[in-house]
Amino acid sequence: MSTSILPLETVADPVPTRPIDSARPAAGGIPSVTGEHVGHRFADGPWLFRDLDFTLTTGEAVGLCGPSGSGKSTLLSIIAGFEPPAEGTIRRSRVNRVRWVFQNPHGMPRRTAIDHVVQPLLGQGIDRTQAEDEAIAIMSTFHLTKVAAREFRELSGGEAQRLMLARAIASKPDLLLVDEPTAQLDQRTANDIDSTLTGLAQGDAIVVIATHDPNTRAACTRVIDLAWHNPNPNIDTKDDTR
Ligand SMILES: Nc1ncnc2c1ncn2[C@@H]1O[C@H](COP(=O)(O)OP(=O)(O)OP(=O)(O)O)[C@@H](O)[C@H]1O
């Protein structure tokens, strides 16, 4: 198994019984990120989490849950390779292309929705006709075909968020990190996003979603809950995932 530090290209439960997040061996030929005894704190601050063991691989949408301030975004950064953990080891295998979808979708206001998905495909050397066909296929999994010809500025919040997910998938990442995809969305729109998360899990990327939305948590195929790994129960956090 080849293991590498990331050459980054970008940057940009039904739940919880505790054993669910323990490390599992990954198959040899597919992307994986393995963490062993991972812990983190900033400088001399309190430990956010410790003793975290996990293996992330394709075929699932892993929810990174826990109270606000428990370190979900920090752990996403560690998984991505943007930040080294204060303790423990992270090993990545076959992870070269990382995409991060942020909670506020940013697009090109006057470009059509489909253009946003076609663009990364053209960047892979695919000709326009084939890129448009592939873009439509990806957009259909996110229920976006009806708005394909609309300008980005005309999309609803949920459509724009789903478009960012479709665009990220079109760039064929090995690792897709999604930070709070339903923050600031109304419940109906949030449900709409949640129903597409399992679709994400069927792709070729490792998918990790940081969330404190209980519905998003329930839509994930597996959950890592940082509340189980907080060594300091007095830390000022609020768990709103359950
Ligand atoms: N660069 C940094 N230096 C010092 N402290 C930091 C830094 N980045 C984050 N923190 C602190 O670490 C803690 C965890 O932050 P993080 O954003 O990872 O939590 P979170 O679980 O994603 O929170 P939320 O659900 O509210 O977004 C917070 O107390 C935050 O203030």
Side-chain angles (χ1 to χ4, degrees):
M1 182 185 292
S2 69
T3 304
S4 63
I5 299 296
L6 278 180
L8 290 175
E9 288 196 3
T10 54
V11 68
D13 8 64
V15 201
T17 54
R18 174 153 185 162
I20 216 162
D21 67 344
S22 56
R24 292 184 297 129
I30 54 176
S32 67
V33 181
T34 304
E36 286 175 1
H37 306 300
V38 173
H40 197 71
R41 65 176 174 179
F42 290 99
D44 293 331
W47 288 97
L48 295 173
F49 49 84
R50 296 189 87 169
D51 205 23
L52 193 54
D53 293 322
F54 55 84
T55 296
L56 308 171
T57 190
T58 58
E60 48 184 8
V62 177
L64 204 51
C65 300
S68 180
S70 61
K72 298 181 295 296
S73 300
T74 302
L75 183 54
L76 281 186
S77 292
I78 290 171
I79 290 167
F82 301 162
E83 175 102 43
E87 66 178 12
T89 55
I90 298 281
R91 284 181 291 122
R92 297 180 190 83
S93 178
R94 297 176 191 271
V95 175
N96 295 306
R97 195 186 298 242
V98 179
R99 288 293 179 269
W100 193 311
V101 177
F102 296 99
Q103 65 181 57
N104 297 314
H106 289 291
M108 293 163 281
R110 290 178 187 277
R111 298 290 290 273
T112 60
I114 191 170
D115 271 354
H116 287 74
V117 185
V118 163
Q119 191 190 38
L121 295 166
L122 292 175
Q124 294 156 33
I126 299 172
D127 72 55
R128 177 161 284 277
T129 308
Q130 196 185 336
E132 286 177 355
D133 287 348
E134 199 171 323
I136 285 293
I138 294 169
M139 291 174 81
S140 73
T141 68
F142 292 95
H143 314 301
L144 287 169
T145 42
K146 273 197 242 167
V147 299
R150 261 186 225 163
E151 291 182 358
F152 183 82
R153 61 183 176 152
E154 298 171 327
L155 301 180
S156 71
E159 288 163 349
Q161 184 63 271
R162 279 184 278 132
L163 182 64
M164 293 299 103
L165 293 171
R167 178 180 165 85
I169 289 294
S171 70
K172 302 193 170 62
D174 302 307
L175 175 59
L176 175 61
L177 304 160
V178 187
D179 202 355
E180 303 286 0
T182 59
Q184 298 168 28
L185 297 180
D186 62 71
Q187 195 55 58
R188 186 157 169 259
T189 311
N191 291 345
D192 203 19
I193 297 285
D194 292 338
S195 70
T196 62
L197 293 180
T198 42
L200 276 182
Q202 288 158 19
D204 296 327
I206 301 166
V207 179
V208 188
I209 302 149
T211 185
H212 46 228
D213 181 331
N215 294 321
T216 305
R217 175 185 181 127
C220 289
T221 58
R222 187 159 66 99
V223 165
I224 296 173
D225 191 332
L226 292 181
W228 297 328
H229 299 274
N230 174 8
N232 177 9
N234 298 322
I235 199 165
D236 183 19
T237 56
K238 178 174 173 295
D239 187 352
D240 45 11
T241 62
R242 49 202 148 151

